[in-house]
Amino acid sequence: MTGRMTGLAWRSLRHRATASVATFVAVLLGTALMGSFAALAASASGPVSTADHDTLTTMGTVVGAWGAIIVLSAVVSTVGITVTQREVEIGLLRTVGATPGQASRLVRAETLLVAALGSALGAGLAWLGGAALLTLLRNTGTVADSVPYSPGLAPLATAALVVLVSLLGSGFAARRATRGSASITPSEGRPGTGRLPWWRVAAAVALFGYSAAMAVVTITVTAHDDDPYSAMATSGQLGILVAVGLGCLAPWLLRVLSPATRPALGRGAAGYLAAYNARRRSRLLSGVLAPVIVLTASGISVFMIVGTDDRTRPAGFEDDARTINLLNNVVVGMMVVFAAVVVVNTFAAVVAHRRSELRQLWLLGATPHQVEASVLAEARGVAAIGVVLGALASLVAVIPFGVARHEGVVPDGQLWLPPLVMAAAAALTLLAARSAVRRAHLPAGSLQ
Amino acid sequence: MNSTTTSHPTGAVLEVRDLARTYGEGAGAVTALDGVDLAFAPGTFTAVMGPSGSGKSTFLSCAAGLEPPTAGRVLVDGHDITDWDENDRTRLRRERIGFVFQAFHLMPYLTAEQNVGLPLRLAGRRPDRARVRELLERVGLADRGGHLPGSLSGGQQQRVAIARALVTEPAVVLADEPTGALDSGTARGILTLLRDSVDALDQTIVMVTHDPVAASYADTVVFLVDGRVAGRMDRPTADAVAGQLAHLSDLVVGGAR
């Protein structure tokens, strides 16, 4: 990376604070979340008993691994949004003589600066987070009090991995943005740009395939295992994995499903604008849809499974239950916080990106209230699609586990929980949209 | 809406009286407009010209009710809108003023037809399809109604924007450097279109420009320098306008008004 590109990247970053902050926060929290569990797994290699070794390894690797999928896909998605937003500017750079390679180096240099800063601080948080997790495990008697905290290089290794994945994500997005001839016309609205990139489809197919297979395994194999937690091990994470798979398809899903949300958008001009924006520019809003799906799915599936486990646990497994459900609650708590931050984050980036367009609406005669209402209507559409898809995704975990524990397809209790989680996720989405549009300080008088 | 209808003896559809606009306060204050009196009669095409910083854009913003003037009055279609609040000014703007911008300002996610109908949608009305089609035909885009802006050329986008400006049958169309982003050949087509809507539809147009060729399509050119009206020319030609622009500083010194 040349020094000149880094200098240009640094100046460019200061010009788009909101988008940079979105990437920074996603990387920071992502590293902190993943790194905490990695630090826990690293502690297993210290002088500890076999039982403690197993507990720490399970927590660190199994939980850390599917947490990693969420974190990494969120980072890739956030980085992708910030790059896609800059298509016009990248086109401009190329028309004044930047080669595709130079333009994409600029993008990668920017990502590197933000991601390195975010993940370095995130590694610090992960070091503290790992210690806090271990203290929690000691205090609840899950592991022996004598287990020492030895994170080693795990937080730093996590930070390096997150930076690497961020660079990969921005590389993908930059390649898309610099493909073809130099042009300052945004590709949105150009025909033929609505197709999903192959890697999104491939990732979704892999996640759906794996989840379907594990759901079958849960019902046919692990359900009959002597250890009642084998079924949970094969089904617990499926809701989240399917949700991430749906997140990969989010641009397409939003385009296909948004007509169905038309009644929820309202009949006025704001609803009209929101409907077409969601359908024709689904790539922009899909960055918000994906975390809403994951948030809803992880909330519903994990809480429902813990509930089923409480009702159907055979006697003699109380100790296991305490560890596992503590784990479940900690993980789902962290996931929910992370997904919630990504929703807020992404909305802020999307609205900031659309500032000039929303101003144009005002110039054309939309009242400030109509401008705000159109963004809120979009949020309603995204929330509606997101919570429904998230709830459906959670079924892939809840049903197999329920069948395995002989509750059948419909769990015997806590049926109030899914609507509650859905309502909370929808409320969060709407609040995020409202705060983003208020902070963007829309219309200010004058033509320029 | 506090529709203070004043009798306007001039019969103007747009009028500014002693318009002033100052940015900032104290020693650093910048005066963009300094006592401008202008009235635009129905069915006229006026070009407002001047060097950079002469107050052209500020004039347009104030005349459209986008920003409030520091002093003076703005009358649109007989309504004194100077003291109206943002919502009332917005409503008047979308009903009575059509806008054509240098950068087109089409919504990228709406088709040409939908963009043309947008001002009516914002006003809570359902656009009449036949009317929208007729306007697109008038600007020469009858077969492009279903296209998104991204698949239209710059000239075609500006044509859509002109159709959009005309859809509400506004009292006045305000154009801000409408050919500034176009090559000269495409620009001529756009200017001819504006001229036609004055001649054929009796539309009133006020166009801010710095291009003498563009100004030559107007009935009258008004020159602004340092926030003041510095001259006026009827039946302008490009050469005469260019010559006049070159002497603008003399006009200021001479105090043209």
Side-chain angles (χ1 to χ4, degrees), chain A residues 104-185:
Chain A
S104 96
R105 260 206 307 286
L106 171 69
V107 169
R108 285 201 308 268
E110 278 184 37
T111 310
L112 182 67
L113 282 173
V114 175
L117 203 64
S119 66
L121 290 175
L125 289 181
W127 196 87
L128 297 173
L133 277 178
L134 188 63
T135 310
L136 185 71
L137 294 181
R138 287 200 204 106
N139 290 349
T140 52
T142 313
V143 296
D145 284 345
S146 60
V147 172
Y149 181 50
S150 52
L153 290 175
L156 280 181
T158 309
L161 177 69
V162 171
V163 171
L164 210 68
V165 169
S166 311
L167 282 179
L168 211 66
S170 75
F172 268 127
R175 222 180 53 189
R176 195 174 53 218
T178 56
R179 198 164 37 200
S181 51
S183 159
I184 56 165
T185 327

Side-chain angles (χ1 to χ4, degrees), chain A residues 19-45:
Chain A
S20 315
V21 166
T23 308
F24 176 80
V25 172
V27 167
L28 174 79
L29 285 183
T31 309
L33 186 53
M34 269 175 73
S36 302
F37 283 95
L40 214 54
S43 297
S45 60

Side-chain angles (χ1 to χ4, degrees), chain A residues 254-402:
Chain A
L254 190 58
R255 196 166 59 239
V256 173
L257 297 178
S258 64
T261 64
R262 190 66 189 85
L265 304 184
R267 292 158 54 96
Y272 170 82
L273 290 167
Y276 283 105
N277 188 44
R279 195 181 317 170
R280 298 210 176 114
R281 288 210 300 190
S282 55
R283 210 161 70 190
L284 206 57
L285 274 177
S286 65
V288 185
L289 177 63
V292 176
I293 300 176
V294 173
L295 174 65
T296 312
S298 46
I300 295 179
S301 62
V302 175
F303 287 136
M304 289 300 279
I305 280 181
V306 169
T308 298
D309 179 55
D310 280 340
R311 287 189 299 272
T312 60
R313 186 187 311 125
F317 286 96
E318 284 73 18
D319 280 352
D320 288 344
R322 199 176 53 219
T323 310
I324 290 170
N325 289 339
L326 169 72
L327 194 74
N328 276 325
N329 289 333
V330 168
V331 168
V332 80
M334 291 171 91
M335 285 304 149
V336 163
V337 169
F338 182 73
V341 169
V342 173
V343 170
V344 173
N345 224 353
T346 316
F347 242 119
V350 167
V351 171
H353 170 58
R354 293 180 57 198
R355 263 181 83 163
S356 66
E357 171 203 322
L358 295 173
R359 242 188 73 74
Q360 287 169 18
L361 265 184
W362 170 74
L363 284 174
L364 290 175
T367 59
H369 174 77
Q370 280 178 318
V371 174
E372 186 178 317
S374 83
V375 175
L376 291 184
E378 284 164 17
R380 277 203 299 281
V382 168
I385 295 174
V387 298
V388 169
L389 288 178
L392 289 175
S394 72
L395 296 180
V396 182
V398 173
I399 292 179
F401 188 68

Side-chain angles (χ1 to χ4, degrees), chain B residues 216-251:
Chain B
S216 71
Y217 283 76
D219 302 313
T220 307
V221 179
V222 172
F223 297 95
L224 283 188
V225 175
D226 291 341
R228 294 167 188 269
V229 176
R232 173 186 277 278
M233 182 189 289
D234 289 330
R235 286 181 299 283
T237 63
D239 287 343
V241 171
Q244 186 82 327
L245 274 178
H247 290 100
L248 274 181
S249 48
D250 302 342
L251 284 167

Side-chain angles (χ1 to χ4, degrees), chain B:
Chain B
M1 201 181 286
N2 45 347
S3 44
T4 353
T5 309
T6 60
S7 58
H8 40 105
T10 51
V13 289
L14 174 65
E15 188 175 353
V16 298
R17 295 179 186 158
D18 202 23
L19 193 66
R21 182 73 172 100
T22 310
Y23 296 102
E25 280 176 19
V30 176
T31 303
L33 291 176
D34 189 9
V36 173
D37 286 300
L38 287 170
F40 303 92
T44 59
F45 186 175
T46 310
V48 177
M49 297 200 75
S52 297
S54 58
K56 301 188 298 280
S57 290
T58 306
F59 161 73
L60 213 57
S61 293
C62 290
L66 289 171
E67 62 180 307
T70 313
R73 315 302 300 177
V74 177
L75 286 81
V76 177
D77 205 17
H79 304 288
D80 185 339
I81 65 165
T82 320
D83 301 319
W84 289 14
D85 69 14
E86 173 61 39
N87 281 331
D88 286 344
R89 277 186 284 133
T90 300
R91 282 189 202 103
L92 177 109
R93 199 163 69 230
R94 71 187 177 203
E95 299 276 349
R96 304 308 296 144
I97 298 178
F99 259 115
V100 180
F101 304 92
Q102 179 172 6
F104 322 137
H105 289 10
L106 299 180
M107 293 298 118
Y109 48 90
L110 297 182
T111 63
E113 263 177 26
Q114 291 171 330
N115 264 296
V116 172
L118 183 59
L120 294 174
R121 291 262 178 197
L122 292 173
R125 287 190 273 157
R126 182 174 283 275
D128 174 18
R129 283 189 82 97
R131 165 101 180 118
V132 169
R133 292 244 173 86
E134 179 198 319
L135 281 168
L136 279 173
E137 198 179 313
R138 164 164 284 281
V139 300
L141 293 174
D143 54 338
R144 293 280 195 278
H147 288 235
L148 291 175
S151 59
L152 297 175
S153 71
Q156 288 173 330
Q157 290 189 46
Q158 193 63 301
R159 285 167 183 273
V160 174
I162 289 174
R164 178 181 63 188
L166 297 174
V167 75
T168 55
E169 298 180 344
V172 59
V173 169
L174 300 179
D176 182 27
E177 303 270 12
T179 56
L182 302 172
D183 66 80
S184 56
T186 311
R188 273 197 295 279
I190 295 295
L191 291 163
T192 306
L193 197 56
L194 291 176
R195 183 71 246 176
D196 281 352
S197 54
V198 175
D199 296 339
L201 304 177
D202 212 26
Q203 184 63 58
T204 312
I205 298 182
V206 178
M207 171 178 72
V208 159
T209 183
H210 64 265
D211 175 11
V213 176
S216 71
Y217 283 76
D219 302 313
T220 307
V221 179
V222 172
F223 297 95
L224 283 188
V225 175
D226 291 341
R228 294 167 188 269
V229 176
R232 173 186 277 278
M233 182 189 289
D234 289 330
R235 286 181 299 283
T237 63
D239 287 343
V241 171
Q244 186 82 327
L245 274 178
H247 290 100
L248 274 181
S249 48
D250 302 342
L251 284 167
V252 177
V253 175
R257 288 183 65 87

